[in-house]
Amino acid sequence: EARRLTWSDRGESAPRFAPDGSLLFASARPDPTGAADDDAQAIWRLPERGEATIVASAPGGLTLVAVADDGTMLATTQVLAGGSLDDDAERREARTSAKRTTIWHTGMPIRYWDHELGEESTRLVLVAPDGALRELTPSADTVALTNASADLARDGALVVTTWTTRVACGETRTGIAVIDVASGSRRALLAPTDEHGWAGPRLSPDGTRIAVTRRTHSTPTDTSYDALEIHPIAGGDAVTVDVGDLTIAAYDWVDDARLVVSGDLHSRGAVLLVDAASGAVRTLVDDAPH
């Protein structure tokens, strides 16, 4: 039976279990100690018994993405464009004090759905178990990690992430990049094309492969289509997974050999089990309510 764990007015998101069994989550709930900005989302830890406390905070907020076996966390934050995590608090204070609200756009796109882009840049940060922050993507501009999906290897050695670049005519293209955590170096793993991009990278437990969505670009006459593929991190041939009529909603690794995929199948919920070596699919559930 479900048991409610958190009660804040502002709500919580991105729950992940830490190696010690405590529950990590992101929330903009007020900090009872007054140490963190109440307007910015922080990472909290809820022990098995006791109250939740803040693990880490940043001026632009933190959203929890993944947790490694040693308790190291991957998160996203926002910094003012052109700055870094180190000077973000100072630059935000100066902008507020000067009552500046304008945004200087240097390229398209300038909007995403209902909000303007350009004032802030999304960055990936590594969060130590003690809350210390380390920026992993200082070169990211205002579009590179907008709405990015990323994952952290269980041993904490690698990060895989979507990486978006501007192209002609105000459009963007999204590929997959690999970041070496020790050195901070980034390399392209899967490059986008004029026909398709990539989304949703998920690392296998041993860190040698990623499951990823290949997404075709929509056109004036056709919609976009998603396909599930498994790619070796070191390069090589991909395994294509035939999910049939399933509209993919989520997927994750069961172990190094198997992947579980959920989604919509003919307006009903479905769950598939995928053999990562061959791409063979076995249906576990195909008539569940959403």
Side-chain angles (χ1 to χ4, degrees), residues 17 37 40 57 112 126 135 172 255:
F17 281 111
D37 185 350
S57 62
Y112 182 80
L126 211 62
E135 191 171 350
T172 59
D255 50 37

Side-chain angles (χ1 to χ4, degrees), residues 8-64:
S8 77
D9 291 338
R10 298 190 182 183
E12 291 77 31
S13 62
R16 300 285 190 279
F17 281 111
D20 63 1
S22 60
L23 182 66
L24 299 165
F25 58 88
S27 179
R29 55 164 63 186
D31 178 11
T33 68
D37 185 350
D38 287 347
D39 292 329
Q41 183 168 268
I43 295 177
W44 293 70
R45 184 190 308 274
L46 179 67
E48 186 176 354
R49 294 180 176 83
E51 298 293 331
T53 56
I54 285 184
V55 177
S57 62
L62 290 170
T63 298
L64 185 61

Side-chain angles (χ1 to χ4, degrees), residues 14 68 72 85 100 103 112 126 231 280 283 289:
T72 300
L85 187 61
R100 293 196 305 268
I103 299 174
Y112 182 80
L126 211 62
H231 289 257
T283 300

